[in-house]
Amino acid sequence: MRGRAVYFVGPERVEVRDRDVPEPDSNEVRVNTRLSAVSSGTELLIYRGEAPTSLKTDESIAALDGDLSFPLRYGYAAVGEIEAVGDDISPSLVGTRVFAFNPHESRFLAEPQSLRHIPQDVSDERAALLPTMETAVNFVMDGNPLIGERVTVFGQGVVGLATTALLSKFPLEHLTVVDRIAERRQLALEFGADRALAPTELAETEDIGHSDLTFELSGNPSALDDALDVTRYDGRVIVGSWYGTKPVTLDLGGRFHRSRIHVESSQVSTIEPDLRGRWDTDRRFDLAWDHLRDLRLDALVTHRVDVSNAPQAYQLLEDDPDEAVQILFTYGNN
């Protein structure tokens, strides 16, 4: 059987190629993809050629192999339906809706244990946002916001907006977001932020230097300096951005030297060590599904693009980020 897959073949070069999809082995199923979500932060780094090519794709995701050198298939948010099963798999699974951490392709093989069954009350579009919500949950767990704290979030892309939506449920004193794009600042206010600022407004905002907890989720290395600047003595900065090969230059010779600010990296492939006795990925997934049901995240999806037009979709993200927030690939003609 033939399928289509998205390949990153060089800086700012994307191709959609036909490829053979064999019949499933005895312990496999074949999934017919309905939607897949583009991770604008990570995938734009790859698209631009700014991802470190010696780095393995993601050791926690079986469908991603090799490193980040061209050419490669990438993506990790596929929603589909099981259409065929191997000899050792129950035929009752045919027709089951599933989520998979799998690259953008119209059909693929997987072992059933690597798939997540989608709850009946979660739509395909919301299910495609599962990695986004899981990442946001992980950031908030790592940040551990306390009652009455002042919290600031830099970056209101898809993950930043989902993180803002989660944080708005906490009894904080104040929740501020910072983003250069006006449309995303407006979305953040709709998702529960108390205040939304452009980076140019930071210097003239009187109380901005009193953040107890700051998240840097913008993907812009220069924002990390701003995140440190707005964080108070003994505050915490959670760095969820992946900068790829972009260099980070920080001003650590002034106020930071005496500030006792705690800076911590956060990435969803692992759970914070102090929580691992009580939390595992299954429990975190259950929580992510709950929030996908409850939070009104439909506004995140701004574009639905047939996978055959994938090159134009990445060009849109690169050239017009104020218009495109979350792009979903569709697979109407598998």
Side-chain angles (χ1 to χ4, degrees):
M1 178 172 287
R2 301 290 282 173
R4 293 175 293 163
V6 175
Y7 284 80
F8 296 86
V9 296
E12 299 189 9
R13 291 176 54 214
V14 172
E15 295 177 359
V16 180
R17 298 177 178 176
D18 290 336
R19 63 193 302 263
D20 289 324
V21 183
E23 293 300 310
D25 285 341
S26 59
N27 64 336
E28 292 179 324
V29 300
R30 189 174 68 232
V31 178
N32 185 334
T33 310
R34 295 179 176 180
L35 296 172
S36 61
V38 175
S39 172
S40 56
T42 302
E43 292 184 45
L44 274 184
L45 282 179
I46 295 171
Y47 175 74
R48 295 168 181 155
E50 294 177 346
T53 56
S54 61
L55 188 68
K56 291 186 177 180
T57 49
D58 193 324
E59 293 176 304
S60 67
I61 299 176
L64 298 177
D65 55 8
D67 56 32
L68 294 174
S69 59
F70 298 118
L72 76 155
R73 294 181 301 118
Y74 199 80
Y76 48 76
V79 171
E81 180 179 300
I82 295 176
E83 65 176 5
V85 299
D87 292 339
D88 294 341
I89 307 298
S90 171
S92 64
L93 287 181
V94 173
T96 302
R97 284 194 312 145
V98 291
F99 172 89
F101 289 95
N102 196 85
H104 303 296
E105 54 188 344
S106 60
R107 282 183 169 88
F108 58 90
L109 301 180
E111 296 183 355
Q113 62 268 27
S114 70
L115 305 173
R116 298 274 168 180
H117 288 215
I118 299 171
Q120 288 187 349
D121 55 350
V122 176
S123 68
D124 287 353
E125 289 198 350
R126 290 204 180 194
L129 299 177
L130 179 62
T132 295
M133 183 54 67
E134 185 197 16
T135 301
V137 166
N138 192 72
F139 288 155
V140 174
M141 290 173 71
D142 284 354
N144 190 23
L146 302 176
I147 187 171
E149 286 198 311
R150 299 173 180 176
V151 178
T152 304
V153 183
F154 282 80
Q156 292 299 285
V158 178
V159 173
L161 285 164
T163 303
T164 295
L166 286 178
L167 289 168
S168 71
K169 306 302 180 184
F170 283 77
L172 305 174
E173 179 182 331
H174 210 270
L175 176 58
T176 299
V177 303
V178 182
D179 197 279
R180 64 183 182 85
I181 298 174
E183 290 82 358
R184 298 190 182 192
R185 296 197 298 271
Q186 181 57 43
L187 274 175
L189 294 172
E190 295 171 10
F191 283 1
D194 298 305
R195 176 173 58 184
L197 303 174
T200 54
E201 297 177 288
L202 291 174
E204 57 196 53
T205 303
E206 185 174 342
D207 65 340
I208 195 63
H210 301 286
S211 180
D212 298 288
L213 172 62
T214 304
F215 295 86
E216 203 303 276
L217 311 179
S218 72
N220 182 355
S222 65
L224 185 51
D225 249 338
D226 289 338
L228 293 171
D229 285 343
V230 307
T231 304
R232 69 190 308 159
Y233 179 87
D234 198 33
R236 294 106 66 207
V237 177
I238 303 297
V239 183
S241 289
W242 183 33
Y243 303 125
T245 60
K246 292 180 287 188
V248 180
T249 303
L250 297 176
D251 179 10
L252 303 181
R255 171 179 168 271
F256 176 83
H257 181 61
R258 298 176 179 175
S259 67
R260 292 194 176 272
I261 291 174
H262 304 260
V263 181
E264 179 182 340
S265 67
S266 178
Q267 206 276 335
V268 71
S269 62
T270 58
I271 292 175
E272 205 276 324
D274 288 343
L275 298 178
R276 291 176 192 170
R278 294 174 287 119
W279 285 85
D280 58 18
T281 54
D282 286 336
R283 185 179 179 187
R284 191 174 62 185
F285 274 125
D286 288 342
L287 187 59
W289 284 126
D290 287 342
H291 287 301
L292 281 174
R293 291 184 183 96
D294 297 341
L295 296 176
R296 297 181 178 179
L297 301 179
D298 303 289
L300 292 178
V301 179
T302 55
H303 293 76
R304 298 159 186 83
V305 178
D306 188 274
V307 71
S308 61
N309 296 319
Q312 293 89 333
Y314 289 105
Q315 194 66 51
L316 174 64
L317 281 171
E318 178 74 351
D319 294 345
D320 209 353
D322 55 341
E323 180 183 344
V325 181
Q326 176 65 70
I327 293 178
L328 297 180
F329 287 143
T330 60
Y331 297 80
N333 298 312
N334 277 357

